[in-house]
Structures are given as structure tokens and as C-alpha cells.
Amino acid sequence: LKWKFLRTQGRIDSTMAKDKSVKQAKTASKKMKAGKLTKKGTKIRTNVHFKLPKTLKLMRNPKYSKKSLPRKTRLDKFTIVKHPLCTESAMKQIEDNNTLTFIVDINANKNQIKKAVSDLYQIETVKINTLIRPDGKKKAYVRLPASREALEIANTIGII
């Protein structure tokens, strides 16, 4: 009898141990699904970031202007085109390619050169190529349309 009782008690102990292990496994799986850092329900912050609050940013509203006069444009048509170039290679360009050659301001771009040449000499331009010479000056090749002869315009300008 005593032996039977111990056997049954052992079964009870084993079923209780199984139930306990099953319960532990279920809680562990829940924790795994929830995540390691969500013990309290919020993320655990490990380093500090100080962020300023977003406040109202107004545009500047000065009581007076800092400059008494607006600045004059430094690149007008007279400063952009310095002078025409009349070397042998420039003459060859006039004859062969219908192209005039000018020394221009180093800061001027092609659009500014085109406008300045058209204002000064009343010339339509097809294309403008620029290069910076080894002496630091900018050279502009002004290509003229086929309808206008570069030789005639060079005579009116006074290159030839």
C-alpha cells in the first residue's frame, strides 16, 4: 500500500513539474514576442539627446537698411569686353570661321559676354567659346551667323 501511495504521489509531482515547465515556457515566449526592452512597456533609453523645443522663428524686420545705397553692378558691358584681339590667329579666325576674338573680364560668363557684345557692337551671335589664357586673361571667341561677314564687322570695330 505504501508503495502504491508513493507511486501515485510521484505521478502527481511529475504532472505538477510538467505544468510548471509549460507555464514557464509560455511566459518566456510572451516575453520574447514583447521584446527584451519592453519590460515596463516603454523603451529603456541608454544615452541622452538634448533637443531644443521648436519655437516661433520670425523673419528679420530691420528698422533701417545696413547699406545706404544698393551696390552698383560691377560687370557692365564696358568692363566685360576689354578689347578685341588682333593677332595673326585672330585674323585667321575672322577669315576662316567667321569668328571675332575678344579679351573679356575673367568673371564674366558666356551669357554676359553675348549681351555685352550685342550691346556694344550691335552683333547677333551664334555661339561663344571661352578659354583662360596662361597669363590669366579670358579670351572669348564670338561666332557670327553666316548672314553677317566677320571681316566687315572687324573693319567697323577697327580691328583691321
Side-chain angles (χ1 to χ4, degrees):
L1 224 116
K2 198 174 186 183
W3 182 75
K4 276 188 178 177
F5 175 73
L6 286 173
R7 240 174 108 190
T8 56
Q9 195 174 1
R11 272 193 211 146
I12 293 168
D13 287 344
S14 66
T15 54
M16 282 177 64
K18 274 187 185 175
D19 289 341
K20 192 176 181 184
S21 63
V22 168
K23 192 175 182 182
Q24 275 182 337
K26 282 184 180 176
T27 54
S29 71
K30 280 182 188 175
K31 283 184 181 178
M32 283 295 290
K33 287 176 188 171
K36 186 174 80 172
L37 300 175
T38 56
K39 194 170 185 181
K40 296 175 192 170
T42 57
K43 184 178 177 184
I44 298 166
R45 307 277 177 192
T46 54
N47 53 1
V48 182
H49 293 291
F50 292 105
K51 294 192 176 177
L52 292 172
K54 299 281 188 273
T55 57
L56 180 66
K57 291 175 183 171
L58 297 171
M59 293 290 289
R60 288 186 175 188
N61 188 15
K63 303 292 180 251
Y64 63 93
S65 61
K66 292 199 174 189
K67 295 177 184 174
S68 60
L69 293 170
R71 196 173 86 190
K72 266 175 71 174
T73 54
R74 298 217 198 289
L75 287 174
D76 61 335
K77 60 185 175 183
F78 301 108
T79 55
I80 288 173
V81 177
K82 293 186 178 174
H83 58 84
L85 205 62
C86 51
T87 58
E88 275 186 44
S89 60
M91 293 303 154
K92 191 165 174 51
Q93 287 286 337
I94 290 170
E95 293 163 6
D96 296 345
N97 300 329
N98 205 32
T99 303
L100 294 173
T101 311
F102 294 97
I103 297 294
V104 295
D105 192 275
I106 193 91
N107 297 321
N109 60 31
K110 290 182 183 182
N111 292 329
Q112 291 169 334
I113 294 166
K114 187 174 188 174
K115 191 172 185 309
V117 166
S118 67
D119 288 349
L120 286 173
Y121 305 114
Q122 292 77 40
I123 304 171
E124 297 172 31
T125 57
V126 174
K127 184 180 180 182
I128 293 181
N129 289 336
T130 58
L131 63 87
I132 296 175
R133 303 191 319 181
D135 63 350
K137 294 177 181 174
K138 187 181 265 190
K139 191 196 294 188
Y141 294 102
V142 179
R143 181 83 184 266
L144 303 177
S147 60
R148 298 287 304 266
E149 193 67 36
L151 204 57
E152 293 172 15
I153 294 167
N155 281 330
T156 55
I157 291 171
I159 298 173
I160 300 171

